[in-house]
Amino acid sequence: MEKGNTTSVDHFILIGFTVSRVLQILLFFVVYTIYIITILTNVLIIAIIRSTPSLHKPMYIFIGTFSFLELWYPSATVPKFLSNLLTGSKSISFHGCIAQCYFHFSFGATESYLLVSMAFDRYIAICYPLRYMLIMNHKRCTYLAVGSWVCGFLTFIVTLFNISRLHFCGPNKINHYYCDFAPLMMLSCTDIQTAELDFFMVVTVGLLGCLIVVLVSYVWIISAIIRMSRSTGRTKAFSTCASHLAVITLFYGTSIYMFVKPTGRRSLHTNKVVSFFPSIVTPLLNPIIYTLRNKEIMNPLRKATKGVEILKQCNCLGVTQKN
């Protein structure tokens, strides 16, 4: 390749999981099922929120935005992974690898910023209930939601640009099922110290910074809940925050384990397994967590289900009468 591209490697091989062909096919169907259910459940949540006027509230605006993000976060890595499992071809172009790495980390950063925005929403709702609708108006919610996306996609743009300018001269086998930072850096022929420091600083400051903001918000939230005079009010307040806390635990727990620690060759296999949670499993669990504990979303869902059943019965009666 040309020196301007600073690489002699034009494609990489994603090793993925070195298992038998039978297990690869089994893994394909498991991941494919999870991915399809993830897409359908998140689309369903978005549709319910948009079609139900009573859900046009700040909290549900963020939940809808979060569900929209969960359509794209797994889509950055899962389709290619499924294709590799099904066809056995594990090749990915150099530019495709850099693009996949960028979108994967950008969607992850967007989720981190969005969780901070949702924590701020819960903080205002619990600590300033009388001024909640005034503070969290539609304009401010839009700014927070859009700002999360913009910040997420700006966070890694310089880092990934610097990675794309590193020199790769072989071998070209990435010990992962997608283009992750650590295994990609192991293949570089040039000094990666600056790139590693840059990536570590961005991830640590961004991830831990967001986590600290979330934790501080919940310290104030829990303090406000404890001071509530009625037990019913405390129970309701805790229930509105429980889903968000569960999602925060899933996301930050796995993310901190993978990125805010030293990475070696032995830990790469562990990272492959752990990365299943934020990339594949969590996008499926998040809509389930938000809907199963939320009556305001479940009630429109039950009505829609009953409506479909009634429509089917009417169609069946119409067919019977014609016959």
Side-chain angles (χ1 to χ4, degrees):
M1 299 253 315
E2 297 173 5
K3 194 172 181 179
N5 292 331
T6 65
T7 178
S8 58
V9 172
D10 62 354
H11 73 284
F12 294 102
I13 303 298
L14 297 171
I15 295 176
F17 296 93
T18 53
V19 294
S20 66
R21 186 59 183 163
V22 174
L23 288 178
Q24 284 184 1
I25 297 298
L26 179 62
L27 184 60
F28 168 83
F29 282 109
V30 171
V31 175
Y32 178 78
T33 302
I34 292 174
Y35 180 61
I36 293 300
I37 295 174
T38 299
I39 298 298
L40 292 177
T41 50
N42 282 294
V43 168
L44 181 61
I45 289 176
I46 294 170
I48 289 173
I49 291 173
R50 286 183 61 87
S51 61
T52 308
S54 62
L55 297 180
H56 294 175
K57 303 175 183 177
M59 183 175 76
Y60 296 105
I61 292 174
F62 287 120
I63 290 177
T65 306
F66 197 78
S67 292
F68 181 71
L69 173 63
E70 296 294 46
L71 296 176
W72 296 104
Y73 190 16
S75 298
T77 55
V78 173
K80 181 62 179 176
F81 179 45
L82 290 173
S83 175
N84 293 346
L85 287 173
L86 188 62
T87 64
S89 174
K90 300 182 178 182
S91 176
I92 184 171
S93 69
F94 173 79
H95 295 294
C97 182
I98 297 299
Q100 186 187 63
C101 191
Y102 171 70
F103 282 110
H104 173 72
F105 285 110
S106 294
F107 287 132
T110 302
E111 182 164 334
S112 183
Y113 294 129
L114 195 55
L115 287 172
V116 172
S117 299
M118 296 170 79
F120 176 72
D121 171 70
R122 292 299 83 204
Y123 165 74
I124 299 298
I126 302 298
C127 298
Y128 302 96
L130 298 179
R131 299 171 58 192
Y132 175 64
M133 294 307 297
L134 180 64
I135 298 174
M136 296 303 296
N137 53 51
H138 187 271
K139 187 177 181 180
R140 184 166 281 111
C141 289
T142 302
Y143 283 156
L144 287 171
V146 174
S148 298
W149 282 83
V150 172
C151 291
F153 275 79
L154 289 177
T155 298
F156 285 98
I157 193 167
V158 175
T159 303
L160 266 296
F161 176 75
N162 291 333
I163 291 173
S164 69
R165 298 179 64 83
L166 291 175
H167 188 61
F168 296 89
C169 55
N172 66 341
K173 293 182 179 180
I174 297 177
N175 188 16
H176 215 299
Y177 63 90
Y178 67 87
C179 291
D180 195 13
F181 174 78
L184 184 61
M185 289 299 95
M186 287 184 173
L187 304 182
S188 178
C189 305
T190 50
D191 182 20
I192 61 172
Q193 190 172 14
T194 301
E196 283 187 322
L197 180 61
D198 181 31
F199 182 84
F200 180 79
M201 290 298 295
V202 169
V203 171
T204 303
V205 173
L207 195 66
L208 293 185
C210 289
L211 179 59
I212 289 171
V213 172
V214 170
L215 291 177
V216 170
S217 298
Y218 269 96
V219 168
W220 288 103
I221 288 171
I222 293 172
S223 298
I225 292 174
I226 292 173
R227 289 197 301 267
M228 289 181 179
S229 57
R230 296 182 180 180
S231 59
T232 54
R234 288 196 294 269
T235 302
K236 185 177 180 180
F238 272 119
S239 66
T240 60
C241 299
S243 299
H244 187 234
L245 279 171
V247 173
I248 287 171
T249 303
L250 281 171
F251 177 78
Y252 285 109
T254 53
S255 298
I256 289 173
Y257 175 84
M258 288 192 297
F259 299 121
V260 189
K261 69 178 185 63
T263 56
R265 293 184 181 274
R266 180 177 293 183
S267 65
L268 286 179
H269 180 72
T270 305
N271 277 7
K272 276 193 291 186
V273 177
V274 175
S275 67
F276 256 68
F277 285 91
S279 302
I280 299 174
V281 178
T282 304
L284 171 66
L285 295 179
N286 287 345
I288 295 174
I289 291 170
Y290 277 122
T291 55
L292 290 182
R293 295 180 56 85
N294 197 311
K295 293 181 180 179
E296 288 188 277
I297 292 180
M298 289 301 295
N299 288 337
L301 181 60
R302 291 192 188 98
K303 289 180 181 178
T305 305
K306 289 180 181 179
V308 171
E309 291 177 355
I310 292 171
L311 186 60
K312 285 182 179 180
Q313 291 176 2
C314 291
N315 289 336
C316 290
L317 287 173
V319 172
T320 305
Q321 289 174 358
K322 286 180 181 179
N323 293 335

